[in-house]
């Protein structure tokens, strides 16, 4: 089920959300600039479904595929696939995975790692944030270690259910317990900014 707070929050610029959170005294909420959108024209906003994993070059290929399909089945509709794979050498999202998640109602993905099949993801319209691209996949080389656990992307702690909000300027993490306050203040700031702009132009 899609949270009804997503639509109004998506209308807020990430810069406004950032400034609101800074004024609230929050710290360490801006994701590292290496994580950028494949589709900068799209805003991605919603709760995080967190994933952590590790390289294992001795892993059985069948085992890695089973573990991956298990991950896909666990991710919740109305959430953002949010992964800390602890490697930049392998793609953590591609055509079949994105198609599966998109069909389930998953909102998009945020990876501290690579993706592949970018042309397909663009055609699909699956909002994807990543560090870079590579054709190498996870088969026989990577295994998940946990889902719905706290993960870090540099100094940013992302807990399960925390919200992510990103546009072409970057992405921020909103603590779940401050979400309603951040949405209200961001929406108010957007309205104030619009009135100021109108006054200046008029």
């Amino acid at each position: 089920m899609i949270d009804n707070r997503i639509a109004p929050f998506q209308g807020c610029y990430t810069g406004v959300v950032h400034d609101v959170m800074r004024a609230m005294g929050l710290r360490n909420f801006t994701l590292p600039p290496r994580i950028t959108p494949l589709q900068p024209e799209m805003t991605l906003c919603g709760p995080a479904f967190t994933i952590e994993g590790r390289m294992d070059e001795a892993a059985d290929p069948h085992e890695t595929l089973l573990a991956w399909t298990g991950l896909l089945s666990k991710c919740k509709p109305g959430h953002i696939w949010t992964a800390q794979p602890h490697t930049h050498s392998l793609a953590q999202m591609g055509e079949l995975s994105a198609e599966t998640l998109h069909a389930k109602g998953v909102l998009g993905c945020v990876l501290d790692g690579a993706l592949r099949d970018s042309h397909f993801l663009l055609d699909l319209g699956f909002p994807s944030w990543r560090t870079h691209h590579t054709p190498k996949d996870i088969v026989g080389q990577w295994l998940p270690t946990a889902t719905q656990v706290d993960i870090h992307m540099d100094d940013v702690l992302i807990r399960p259910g925390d919200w992510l909000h990103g546009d072409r300027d970057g992405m921020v993490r909103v603590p779940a317990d401050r979400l309603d306050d951040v949405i209200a203040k961001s929406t108010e700031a957007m309205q104030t900014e619009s009135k100021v702009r109108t006054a200046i132009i008029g």
Side-chain angles (χ1 to χ4, degrees), residues 33-170:
R34 64 176 177 270
I35 302 174
T36 59
L38 176 65
Q39 308 100 327
E41 73 283 358
M42 300 181 76
T43 299
L44 180 57
C45 176
F49 180 90
T50 61
I51 297 149
E52 197 160 33
R54 60 177 172 81
M55 288 289 291
D56 185 349
E57 295 180 357
D60 176 73
H62 183 64
E63 179 188 6
T64 58
L65 281 173
L66 280 179
W68 187 260
T69 55
L71 273 185
L72 296 175
S73 69
K74 290 177 183 177
C75 192
K76 301 175 183 178
H79 285 64
I80 298 171
W81 175 283
T82 309
Q84 178 48 271
H86 296 293
T87 179
H88 283 176
S89 65
L90 306 173
Q92 294 289 313
M93 185 59 57
E95 175 182 356
L96 294 178
S97 298
E99 189 171 36
T100 300
L101 294 174
H102 184 67
K104 286 184 62 171
V106 173
L107 302 174
C109 68
V110 175
L111 317 169
D112 193 359
L115 60 76
R116 70 179 204 169
D117 304 327
S118 55
H119 287 298
F120 179 86
L121 271 63
L122 287 166
D123 290 342
L124 182 64
F126 185 70
S128 303
W129 288 65
R130 78 293 189 231
T131 58
H132 63 292
H133 300 179
T134 179
K136 294 176 65 177
D137 68 8
I138 57 93
V139 177
Q141 300 187 79
W142 186 89
L143 287 167
T145 55
T147 59
Q148 293 295 70
V149 294
D150 294 356
I151 61 174
H152 282 86
M153 296 186 182
D154 287 1
D155 62 355
V156 181
L157 168 65
I158 304 173
R159 293 190 167 102
D162 283 350
W163 275 43
L164 300 174
H165 187 292
D167 56 25
R168 67 174 64 239
D169 286 334

